Amino acid sequence: MTLSFDPDTVTLPQGHFIGGQYVQPGGSAGLDMHRPSDGQLFASCPIADAGLVDEAVRAAQAALRSSDWARGRPRDRARVLNALADLILAEAPYLGQVEALSSSRPITQVMSVDIPMLAEVIRFFAEMADKEGGALVPTADDHLGMIMDEPYGVVGAIAPWNFPLIMAAWKLAPALAAGNAVVFKPSEMTPHSALVLAEMAVRAGVPAGILNVVLGDGLTTGAAITGHRDIAKISFTGSTRAGQAIMENIARHGVKPMTLELGGKSPQLVFADADLDLAADCVARNIIGNAGQVCVAGSRLLVHDAVAPALTQAITARMQAVVPGPTWDAGSSYSPIISARQIDRISAIVGDSRTAGATLLTGGRAFDHQGYFYRPTLITDVEATNPAVTEEIFGPVLTVQTFADEDQAATLASHPLYGLAVGIYTRDLSRSLRLARQMQAGTVWINRYGRSWDHILPTGGFKGSGIGKDLGRAAYHANRRQKSVLIALQSATD
Ligand code: NAD
């Protein structure tokens, strides 16, 4: 059976999802939504105001009071979350169409990667619910010391549009497994799949009100979440600029912990002794994939002088082979850019880069195709200050800089703002580990690049790329707080 579908026949959920039911938006106009694959206006995203966000928080608090979600057996939470993962897989065809329709994700990739990964991440965290917890700690014999480990209560979570369901999983799965209720805001550009997911959660047995989805933009809905006094913790993924605004808003309204997964401008270092076919494949795949709209896109190629011509030629060939096509066609593998505005931004940075002296090896313009498709682009002759090297473009644009030795490679790898990921290609194990120690980044990949299915590895940025971790045990523990309890034991009296 083909996965291709007609986008005009997919019924999209409407409204917000609060207290276990859809709540229809009030009077104010929503945001126009255009399908990136053909530019067609297809829906309007409502904007939840502070009052509606407050309603979602009240629903979450009521659900925590009236259900056993936080207080009951952790194993029961795990069972319900595993039932949700089963339901996601059982109803994958509809969820997949909703996801592919409005996002940059081709349906074949949604069905083979995004939805299975969503289910896996939910199972990964479900398994922690009854295995990770408090501790008895060493004290003098006349005392008993323990660390109680508790959920926060209501967690606020905000996600970007680039992998809507996978990003939702990273935020929701650890928060729910850890016994919290959640008020979740998906991106205003891709909100519908989160609504379907929340409605499935209720059918799987998550008590109504434990998972609420409010739709809207950052300035109104996002700010109402981060500034809400009864939201105890914020979990955010998005741009560094929005992360900074969130820190300010949290500080203006109080104090609360936050996890911030932010932007990047990640280098891939290719040494002369590397397997060049492997490096060409990995480097090309990790700027072509999702059309470069990936936080860890390896958007800066640093290559040894001796192999630069051969490598850039191999990457150029791979870039020129991509074929644009709508996300609802099972044969499509190259993603559209999310919006016309983002196409303009990419074009502007590429233009500025050329004005600053860069040379275009391939690409540099949109495809002559309906929808928002930009050609994979390779840029060389760039200084460290060139805008294509410094800016997170969030598009299929790769810059090339060359180095003569390891020291120069390490210096070029460092970015003044970002520290998300680094790729190193070499057959010299000592060199790769020397550099891994030196890199100011939350993830280092050696002779590979890009996320794996090893959800035990936490992901997160250094410097302006973020605070805290998603995935791994760290993400589960970031959704729990610790309380120290010390008991004085009475001496025997008889
Ligand atoms: P964005 O920052 O514009 O928006 C992300 C989310 O934050 C959206 O839901 C948006 O409505 C909301 N938002 C925006 N401003 C806000 C504010 N002031 N207060 C509260 N919420 C606000 O990012 P985007 O364009 O959706 O996504 C692309 C960015 O996300 C890139 O910078 C990318 O690197 C980053 N990202 C990071 C990771 C990671 O794991 N580090 C993963 C995916 C994407």
Side-chain angles (χ1 to χ4, degrees), residues 120-197:
E120 283 272 309
V121 170
I122 291 173
R123 289 195 209 285
F124 174 85
F125 284 107
E127 284 155 14
M128 279 187 199
D130 64 346
K131 295 178 191 68
E132 299 280 319
L136 282 182
V137 295
T139 58
D141 276 0
D142 60 352
H143 280 76
L144 185 65
M146 63 175 120
I147 300 170
M148 284 185 176
D149 189 62
E150 308 172 341
Y152 274 97
V154 184
V155 168
I158 300 176
W161 50 263
N162 58 338
F163 295 88
L165 283 173
I166 294 176
M167 292 297 105
W170 288 13
K171 307 275 111 183
L172 301 179
L176 292 174
N180 299 286
V182 182
V183 174
F184 179 62
K185 190 191 93 57
S187 167
E188 57 273 40
M189 288 190 265
T190 52
H192 295 107
S193 57
L195 292 169
V196 177
L197 183 61

Side-chain angles (χ1 to χ4, degrees), residues 1 11 67 71 73 85 135 194 202 209 222 237 263 309 319 323 338 343 366 432:
M1 194 188 77
T11 310
S67 77
R71 294 185 306 257
R73 276 202 196 97
V202 171
T237 300
M319 285 182 152
V323 180
I338 193 67
I343 286 263
S432 66

Side-chain angles (χ1 to χ4, degrees), residues 200-218:
M200 278 183 185
V202 171
R203 281 195 282 131
V206 175
I210 290 294
L211 174 54
N212 305 281
V213 177
V214 287
L215 271 44
D217 62 1

Side-chain angles (χ1 to χ4, degrees), residues 277-354:
D277 281 342
L278 171 101
D281 267 346
C282 285
V283 172
R285 188 158 13 93
N286 284 287
I287 196 68
I288 291 172
N290 211 29
Q293 301 164 108
V294 184
C295 56
V296 292
S299 53
R300 291 189 293 135
L301 170 61
L302 310 179
V303 54
H304 190 277
D305 293 315
V307 290
L311 189 66
T312 48
Q313 205 179 1
I315 293 169
T316 303
R318 286 164 174 78
M319 285 182 152
Q320 289 174 344
V322 308
V323 180
T327 49
W328 45 80
D329 182 334
S332 299
S333 59
Y334 185 62
S335 292
I337 301 299
I338 193 67
S339 65
R341 197 163 141 240
Q342 180 61 7
I343 286 263
D344 291 345
R345 184 170 174 275
I346 296 169
S347 303
I349 297 175
V350 170
D352 291 348
S353 171
R354 296 179 76 180

Side-chain angles (χ1 to χ4, degrees), residues 4 10 24 125 141 144 211 244 274 276 287 290 293 355 362 368 414 424 460 494:
S4 297
V10 180
Q24 291 315 312
F125 284 107
D141 276 0
L144 185 65
L211 174 54
Q244 288 176 281
L276 283 194
I287 196 68
N290 211 29
Q293 301 164 108
T355 306
T362 188
D368 184 18
S414 172
I424 300 169
D494 51 3

